[in-house]
Structure formats: C-alpha cells, structure tokens
Amino acid sequence: MRIPIIAGNWKMNNTISQSIDLVKNIKKEDIKDKVEVVLAVPFTSLYEVKKHLDGTTIKLAAQNMHWEDKGAYTGEISPLMLKEIGVDYCIIGHSERRQYFNETDETVNKKIKAALKHNIKPIVCVGESLEEREKNIHEDIVKDQVIKALEGIDKSFIKDIVIAYEPIWAIGTGKTASSEDANTMCGLIRKTIGHMYGENAKNTIRIQYGGSVKPENIKELMEKEEIDGALVGGASLIAEDFIRIVNY
Ligand code: 13P
C-alpha cells in the first residue's frame, strides 16, 4: 500500500510572518489520517515553520538545495543546513529551476544523491513542455529525465524517493492534464522504475501529479491507479483550498 502524499509548493511566496499565518490556518483544520502532508516553504521560513509544525504530522520540505555539504558557493544552501532545521523532504529539479536557473539532469542527479546521503527525501520533478507534447515526444522526454535523475542510485533508496510528474504546460496555467493523461504518464514513470529497479520498486515508489491541482479536480486525479498524490502550487497558498485538496 502506497501512502498518498500531498505537498504544497509555496514557491517564492510568503515572508516569515505570512508563512506563520498560513501554517496556523492549515493547522486549524483536521487532516485525513491516511495522507502524508508536506509543506515546501521558502528557505527563509523553514526554521520558523518547523517550530509551528512540531507536534503535528505535517512534514517540512525545502524547494531546492546544493549537492555539497559546505564551501565557496555563494548564495547556496546545503543539505546539512536543511537537516539541522529538521527538513524531511526537498523538491529537486522543479521545472522552474530547470527553466530559469539552468538546472540540468546532471545537477538534479547530484542533488538527489546528496539529499539521500543526508536522509532528506527528494521529491524529484519531471515533465515535458508544450512543444514536446505537441511533437509527441513527451513520453521519451519524461522517461529520459527519470533515468538520468536516478543514475547510480541504489534500489534501497527507492522507498524514500517521490517523483512528481508536472507537465510544464499545466503549471500555473489553469490547464490541468486530464486525469487519464496524468495517469498514463505516471504509469510510464512507474514502468520505467520497474525496468530500472524491478517489480518491488515499481510497486513501492510514490508518484505525484502536479499542475493546476485544485479542490475541484483532486478527487478525480487521486482515483487514478498510478497517481499517489499531488504537488500543489497556487492552491496551496490558500489554507482552505489546500485543506480541501488534502482531504479530497
Ligand atoms: P500550480 O499548482 O500553481 O499549477 O503549480 C504546480 C507546481 O509547479 C507545483 O510544484
């Protein structure tokens, strides 16, 4: 049984005080037992948000990290720094980082390895652009991203890795992939994991869908066999909407 995982990716939104307000509002509501809830908040808010999450079942995530433990990398944040705060998860390879900050399959791979080394669970993002979908090469693109992201990573880590399928054309656009398309792509990712790591890993790995997830479409997505959760952007910034998604 794969435990559903719903993560809110706040992206570059919320100052520390705004983050605290949002967490307090999220905490006011009851959360369904069988769902793992994760909040991916800006670096500056991690420490304070962690304090407010103590005593709850909600997990904390960073949105990025560097692969080295320390050193002359001005402006970067290391896994050690995140670990001391008590971060459970880290989003790695989000399409916005690939698009705007030159994140490559190679750096994604390094970051996943570093996260796992420090017991931080990576939420690895993959997904095709509109152009790639229109050219009908989306399956190859996503498969390739998965293979390159996980290159050299041992089977024993699969249980700690979450993959988020986020088609770029569905992010922040209001255009959700149809639940059938999302299911097909998550199934393709699962099959790829099966080829790389075997049947057990294939059945264990959790795969999220992300891209314009809202209270109105979460149920249909979660009913699909291959979809184990959601990575939610915009709708995770409104406590009421996020809770409705979590309690789909
Ligand atoms: P939206 O839910 O705003 O489309 O963002 C999705 C996303 O990028 C989550 O990581």
Side-chain angles (χ1 to χ4, degrees), residues 101-121:
F101 304 101
N102 301 322
E103 191 89 78
T104 63
D105 289 326
E106 194 193 346
T107 58
V108 167
N109 177 257
K110 282 187 183 177
K111 289 179 181 189
I112 298 170
K113 285 176 177 159
L116 291 168
K117 181 176 137 198
H118 291 285
N119 251 328
I120 294 171
K121 297 176 177 147

mmCIF file of all heavy atoms in Angstrom, residues 101-121:
data_model
loop_
_atom_site.group_PDB
_atom_site.id
_atom_site.type_symbol
_atom_site.label_atom_id
_atom_site.label_comp_id
_atom_site.label_asym_id
_atom_site.label_seq_id
_atom_site.Cartn_x
_atom_site.Cartn_y
_atom_site.Cartn_z
ATOM 1 N N PHE A 101 16.958 28.582 -13.976
ATOM 2 C CA PHE A 101 18.223 28.566 -13.224
ATOM 3 C C PHE A 101 19.181 27.472 -13.696
ATOM 4 O O PHE A 101 20.015 26.999 -12.917
ATOM 5 C CB PHE A 101 17.931 28.435 -11.723
ATOM 6 C CG PHE A 101 17.016 29.512 -11.219
ATOM 7 C CD1 PHE A 101 15.663 29.272 -11.001
ATOM 8 C CD2 PHE A 101 17.499 30.800 -10.990
ATOM 9 C CE1 PHE A 101 14.810 30.276 -10.560
ATOM 10 C CE2 PHE A 101 16.650 31.808 -10.544
ATOM 11 C CZ PHE A 101 15.300 31.552 -10.335
ATOM 12 N N ASN A 102 19.012 27.092 -14.956
ATOM 13 C CA ASN A 102 19.953 26.153 -15.581
ATOM 14 C C ASN A 102 20.130 24.831 -14.858
ATOM 15 O O ASN A 102 21.212 24.235 -14.911
ATOM 16 C CB ASN A 102 21.337 26.801 -15.752
ATOM 17 C CG ASN A 102 21.264 28.040 -16.606
ATOM 18 O OD1 ASN A 102 20.506 28.076 -17.576
ATOM 19 N ND2 ASN A 102 22.013 29.058 -16.242
ATOM 20 N N GLU A 103 19.122 24.391 -14.156
ATOM 21 C CA GLU A 103 19.194 23.063 -13.538
ATOM 22 C C GLU A 103 19.225 22.032 -14.665
ATOM 23 O O GLU A 103 18.443 22.141 -15.614
ATOM 24 C CB GLU A 103 17.944 22.874 -12.679
ATOM 25 C CG GLU A 103 17.966 21.681 -11.773
ATOM 26 C CD GLU A 103 18.575 21.996 -10.423
ATOM 27 O OE1 GLU A 103 17.893 22.600 -9.589
ATOM 28 O OE2 GLU A 103 19.748 21.624 -10.215
ATOM 29 N N THR A 104 20.134 21.070 -14.558
ATOM 30 C CA THR A 104 20.236 20.043 -15.610
ATOM 31 C C THR A 104 19.989 18.660 -15.002
ATOM 32 O O THR A 104 19.982 18.509 -13.779
ATOM 33 C CB THR A 104 21.650 20.031 -16.227
ATOM 34 O OG1 THR A 104 22.578 19.662 -15.178
ATOM 35 C CG2 THR A 104 22.047 21.382 -16.792
ATOM 36 N N ASP A 105 19.839 17.676 -15.871
ATOM 37 C CA ASP A 105 19.677 16.307 -15.370
ATOM 38 C C ASP A 105 20.860 15.919 -14.485
ATOM 39 O O ASP A 105 20.706 15.186 -13.516
ATOM 40 C CB ASP A 105 19.578 15.322 -16.549
ATOM 41 C CG ASP A 105 18.255 15.471 -17.294
ATOM 42 O OD1 ASP A 105 17.229 15.769 -16.655
ATOM 43 O OD2 ASP A 105 18.253 15.302 -18.522
ATOM 44 N N GLU A 106 22.034 16.437 -14.847
ATOM 45 C CA GLU A 106 23.238 16.098 -14.078
ATOM 46 C C GLU A 106 23.199 16.706 -12.667
ATOM 47 O O GLU A 106 23.508 16.027 -11.680
ATOM 48 C CB GLU A 106 24.461 16.600 -14.847
ATOM 49 C CG GLU A 106 25.735 16.017 -14.338
ATOM 50 C CD GLU A 106 26.969 16.733 -14.877
ATOM 51 O OE1 GLU A 106 26.853 17.516 -15.851
ATOM 52 O OE2 GLU A 106 28.049 16.515 -14.310
ATOM 53 N N THR A 107 22.808 17.978 -12.559
ATOM 54 C CA THR A 107 22.760 18.592 -11.217
ATOM 55 C C THR A 107 21.613 17.986 -10.405
ATOM 56 O O THR A 107 21.723 17.818 -9.197
ATOM 57 C CB THR A 107 22.640 20.133 -11.278
ATOM 58 O OG1 THR A 107 21.468 20.491 -12.019
ATOM 59 C CG2 THR A 107 23.843 20.778 -11.914
ATOM 60 N N VAL A 108 20.532 17.651 -11.096
ATOM 61 C CA VAL A 108 19.410 17.002 -10.402
ATOM 62 C C VAL A 108 19.893 15.695 -9.781
ATOM 63 O O VAL A 108 19.639 15.405 -8.611
ATOM 64 C CB VAL A 108 18.230 16.762 -11.393
ATOM 65 C CG1 VAL A 108 17.190 15.814 -10.809
ATOM 66 C CG2 VAL A 108 17.574 18.094 -11.779
ATOM 67 N N ASN A 109 20.633 14.926 -10.545
ATOM 68 C CA ASN A 109 21.161 13.652 -10.060
ATOM 69 C C ASN A 109 22.077 13.843 -8.848
ATOM 70 O O ASN A 109 21.976 13.138 -7.840
ATOM 71 C CB ASN A 109 21.903 12.957 -11.215
ATOM 72 C CG ASN A 109 22.555 11.657 -10.812
ATOM 73 O OD1 ASN A 109 23.766 11.574 -10.623
ATOM 74 N ND2 ASN A 109 21.758 10.616 -10.660
ATOM 75 N N LYS A 110 22.945 14.855 -8.925
ATOM 76 C CA LYS A 110 23.861 15.124 -7.803
ATOM 77 C C LYS A 110 23.087 15.513 -6.554
ATOM 78 O O LYS A 110 23.418 15.122 -5.434
ATOM 79 C CB LYS A 110 24.796 16.290 -8.161
ATOM 80 C CG LYS A 110 25.934 15.927 -9.075
ATOM 81 C CD LYS A 110 26.831 17.136 -9.188
ATOM 82 C CE LYS A 110 27.969 16.924 -10.136
ATOM 83 N NZ LYS A 110 28.794 18.105 -10.286
ATOM 84 N N LYS A 111 22.054 16.326 -6.740
ATOM 85 C CA LYS A 111 21.261 16.799 -5.597
ATOM 86 C C LYS A 111 20.474 15.652 -4.956
ATOM 87 O O LYS A 111 20.357 15.589 -3.738
ATOM 88 C CB LYS A 111 20.319 17.913 -6.048
ATOM 89 C CG LYS A 111 21.059 19.207 -6.371
ATOM 90 C CD LYS A 111 20.114 20.306 -6.837
ATOM 91 C CE LYS A 111 20.937 21.565 -7.158
ATOM 92 N NZ LYS A 111 20.080 22.740 -7.412
ATOM 93 N N ILE A 112 19.947 14.769 -5.789
ATOM 94 C CA ILE A 112 19.193 13.623 -5.234
ATOM 95 C C ILE A 112 20.134 12.769 -4.384
ATOM 96 O O ILE A 112 19.798 12.376 -3.265
ATOM 97 C CB ILE A 112 18.564 12.769 -6.360
ATOM 98 C CG1 ILE A 112 17.551 13.599 -7.157
ATOM 99 C CG2 ILE A 112 17.876 11.533 -5.789
ATOM 100 C CD1 ILE A 112 17.063 12.917 -8.435
ATOM 101 N N LYS A 113 21.330 12.512 -4.916
ATOM 102 C CA LYS A 113 22.302 11.698 -4.170
ATOM 103 C C LYS A 113 22.665 12.358 -2.843
ATOM 104 O O LYS A 113 22.749 11.695 -1.804
ATOM 105 C CB LYS A 113 23.563 11.473 -5.008
ATOM 106 C CG LYS A 113 23.349 10.460 -6.123
ATOM 107 C CD LYS A 113 24.594 10.330 -6.985
ATOM 108 C CE LYS A 113 24.407 9.268 -8.053
ATOM 109 N NZ LYS A 113 25.328 9.425 -9.177
ATOM 110 N N ALA A 114 22.873 13.683 -2.888
ATOM 111 C CA ALA A 114 23.240 14.409 -1.657
ATOM 112 C C ALA A 114 22.092 14.381 -0.652
ATOM 113 O O ALA A 114 22.300 14.192 0.549
ATOM 114 C CB ALA A 114 23.614 15.851 -2.006
ATOM 115 N N ALA A 115 20.878 14.556 -1.131
ATOM 116 C CA ALA A 115 19.720 14.541 -0.227
ATOM 117 C C ALA A 115 19.627 13.185 0.466
ATOM 118 O O ALA A 115 19.520 13.107 1.695
ATOM 119 C CB ALA A 115 18.442 14.829 -1.021
ATOM 120 N N LEU A 116 19.714 12.121 -0.314
ATOM 121 C CA LEU A 116 19.576 10.781 0.254
ATOM 122 C C LEU A 116 20.684 10.487 1.265
ATOM 123 O O LEU A 116 20.450 9.877 2.304
ATOM 124 C CB LEU A 116 19.589 9.733 -0.873
ATOM 125 C CG LEU A 116 18.349 9.765 -1.784
ATOM 126 C CD1 LEU A 116 18.568 8.915 -3.026
ATOM 127 C CD2 LEU A 116 17.097 9.311 -1.036
ATOM 128 N N LYS A 117 21.891 10.967 0.957
ATOM 129 C CA LYS A 117 23.028 10.776 1.866
ATOM 130 C C LYS A 117 22.730 11.392 3.237
ATOM 131 O O LYS A 117 23.156 10.889 4.268
ATOM 132 C CB LYS A 117 24.267 11.436 1.232
ATOM 133 C CG LYS A 117 25.534 11.305 2.026
ATOM 134 C CD LYS A 117 26.711 11.912 1.269
ATOM 135 C CE LYS A 117 27.581 12.727 2.203
ATOM 136 N NZ LYS A 117 28.455 13.664 1.499
ATOM 137 N N HIS A 118 21.973 12.473 3.234
ATOM 138 C CA HIS A 118 21.671 13.166 4.494
ATOM 139 C C HIS A 118 20.268 12.873 4.999
ATOM 140 O O HIS A 118 19.737 13.601 5.841
ATOM 141 C CB HIS A 118 21.862 14.677 4.312
ATOM 142 C CG HIS A 118 23.297 15.054 4.128
ATOM 143 N ND1 HIS A 118 24.188 15.062 5.173
ATOM 144 C CD2 HIS A 118 24.002 15.380 3.022
ATOM 145 C CE1 HIS A 118 25.386 15.411 4.724
ATOM 146 N NE2 HIS A 118 25.301 15.606 3.416
ATOM 147 N N ASN A 119 19.682 11.808 4.478
ATOM 148 C CA ASN A 119 18.355 11.426 4.978
ATOM 149 C C ASN A 119 17.261 12.438 4.702
ATOM 150 O O ASN A 119 16.341 12.592 5.515
ATOM 151 C CB ASN A 119 18.436 11.215 6.483
ATOM 152 C CG ASN A 119 18.320 9.770 6.822
ATOM 153 O OD1 ASN A 119 17.632 9.037 6.117
ATOM 154 N ND2 ASN A 119 19.001 9.362 7.880
ATOM 155 N N ILE A 120 17.420 13.162 3.631
ATOM 156 C CA ILE A 120 16.359 14.078 3.198
ATOM 157 C C ILE A 120 15.712 13.407 1.988
ATOM 158 O O ILE A 120 16.412 12.975 1.072
ATOM 159 C CB ILE A 120 16.942 15.457 2.813
ATOM 160 C CG1 ILE A 120 17.528 16.135 4.055
ATOM 161 C CG2 ILE A 120 15.860 16.348 2.171
ATOM 162 C CD1 ILE A 120 18.327 17.408 3.734
ATOM 163 N N LYS A 121 14.390 13.294 2.025
ATOM 164 C CA LYS A 121 13.722 12.578 0.931
ATOM 165 C C LYS A 121 13.482 13.513 -0.256
ATOM 166 O O LYS A 121 12.832 14.539 -0.096
ATOM 167 C CB LYS A 121 12.392 12.010 1.425
ATOM 168 C CG LYS A 121 12.558 10.979 2.517
ATOM 169 C CD LYS A 121 11.215 10.513 3.038
ATOM 170 C CE LYS A 121 11.427 9.421 4.070
ATOM 171 N NZ LYS A 121 10.429 9.440 5.119
#
